[in-house]
Amino acid sequence: MDAVTGRVRAAQNAVARISAVPLLVRAGIFVTVFAGFALAFPAEVLPGRPVLFLAVAALLPAFGPRRIWATFTALVTVGGWLLATDGYGRPVALWRLLALAALLYLAHTLCALAALLPYDAVVDPELITRWLSRSAAVLLSTAVLGVLLLQAAGMGGEAGYQWVTVLGLLVAVGTAALLGWLLRRP
């Protein structure tokens, strides 16, 4: 019984030490992941129980940013995008694609920041500002470069290429697998 009481007291002490900035970062993870779900999935799928499952899925990387949940939610988002474009015939719009890519990147970078911050960390607000400023610069430069490359290639019309999306996903998964293998090899 003393072991249970000791664990309860340790949990109460840990909850009492939580600071605001790590909680705000984790809330930002939830908001960006859930916004990505809302943008990716077709509107016909969202009402009802699926939105509750998506909300729970969006909470997972907020509570476990060091675990596989960030990758899982990114794959669910891509799956929702594929469902919307293939299954429901939603046209591929450049603004939606750029917004979805931005939300995926922002969720990823917030998970990386949350993984570094313990719950009881005292953080200078300038750190968060610099982190988000760098993320905004990456997003802006990527969006501008992507639009310029699409216009230069003459592919910036209404037609989307589903095989390019699947190929990009396979390249991303292959790159992640290669990096994981390189980190684990002796």
Side-chain angles (χ1 to χ4, degrees), residues 51-126:
V51 76
L52 294 176
F53 292 128
L54 292 176
V56 169
L59 278 174
L60 293 174
F63 283 117
R66 291 183 191 162
R67 304 200 190 288
I68 196 166
W69 300 121
T71 304
F72 170 74
T73 55
L75 290 174
V76 169
T77 305
V78 171
W81 173 263
L82 291 174
L83 175 70
T85 55
D86 259 355
Y88 286 86
R90 180 193 289 172
V92 177
L94 183 61
W95 71 269
R96 189 180 306 249
L97 188 60
L98 289 175
L100 189 61
L103 287 171
L104 284 171
Y105 177 75
L106 192 56
H108 171 77
T109 191
L110 285 174
C111 281
L113 178 61
L116 296 174
L117 294 177
Y119 280 106
D120 60 349
V122 177
V123 181
D124 185 14
E126 185 179 333

Side-chain angles (χ1 to χ4, degrees), residues 31-54:
V31 168
T32 55
V33 169
F34 193 72
F37 287 159
L39 190 62
F41 279 88
E44 297 87 6
V45 174
L46 288 179
R49 286 188 192 172
V51 76
L52 294 176
F53 292 128
L54 292 176

